[in-house]
Amino acid sequence: MLKDNSEMRFFRKIILLGSLFLVLGSAFAKPTDEKFNKKKYLKAAEAAFKEGSIYGAADLYLEILKNVPDEKSVFFPLAQSYLLARDYENASTYFLKAYNIETTENALALYYAALTDKMQGEYKQAILLFRRFKKIYKASDATEMTKWTRIEIDGCNFAINEAKPD
């Protein structure tokens, strides 16, 4: 017998994720003459991401890119999946791709690219990206993001200074 609601929620999630993978497996098993269904994969990737299956989402987004290499709409969510999986190198790559496609619309991707560079110890590169982000970001939360960007730059500078031998 289950002891509390948290155990019930855990088992429900396990059952839901298992069901999701069974459905995905049957939905995406395709004969060799059937065309790739990008819409199905996008929907499944978004559902997996929402359910917290970040690795499953990343795999689905990569499958989309494998079949539709110019599908630029998956770069940002794929990068988010990698970020949550702590795969900072791939996250940085895809955040930069998302930013380079549409610099105005995806300006926030530049912030995350800088953040993932910082997490990899690439402090000087991160500072350059943070500064570029501060110059271009004009959304309604720009003041707040500028504050966070300054904090991140200070953190990079601190790490650089601490790494110097005395």
Side-chain angles (χ1 to χ4, degrees), residues 97-109:
K97 285 183 179 194
Y99 168 72
N100 288 327
I101 289 166
E102 181 57 56
T103 57
T104 305
E105 188 175 308
N106 290 329
L108 200 53

Side-chain angles (χ1 to χ4, degrees), residues 69-163:
D70 62 337
E71 184 55 48
K72 296 164 179 76
S73 69
V74 302
F75 290 155
F76 193 84
L78 175 58
Q80 288 178 306
S81 297
Y82 280 134
L83 176 62
L84 292 172
R86 295 187 178 117
D87 183 347
Y88 302 127
E89 186 175 345
N90 280 319
S92 179
T93 298
Y94 285 100
F95 279 129
L96 284 174
K97 285 183 179 194
Y99 168 72
N100 288 327
I101 289 166
E102 181 57 56
T103 57
T104 305
E105 188 175 308
N106 290 329
L108 200 53
L110 188 60
Y111 175 83
Y112 286 113
L115 195 61
T116 55
D117 282 350
K118 178 187 173 201
M119 291 173 175
Q120 295 177 82
E122 300 291 334
Y123 303 116
K124 290 181 181 179
Q125 174 65 19
I127 290 170
L128 292 172
L129 295 178
F130 280 129
R131 286 182 178 155
R132 187 179 331 157
F133 170 77
K134 264 180 30 177
K135 287 180 184 176
I136 66 163
Y137 193 67
K138 305 292 183 216
S140 61
D141 63 342
T143 303
E144 184 71 16
M145 289 306 295
T146 298
K147 175 184 147 192
W148 282 109
T149 302
R150 277 194 305 263
I151 291 169
E152 295 296 345
I153 290 171
D154 289 346
C156 289
N157 285 323
F158 178 79
I160 290 168
N161 290 331
E162 287 298 307

Side-chain angles (χ1 to χ4, degrees), residues 11-23:
F11 285 111
R12 277 193 213 137
K13 282 186 179 183
I14 295 292
I15 291 169
L16 180 64
L17 286 174
S19 301
L20 177 67
F21 286 119
L22 286 174
V23 169

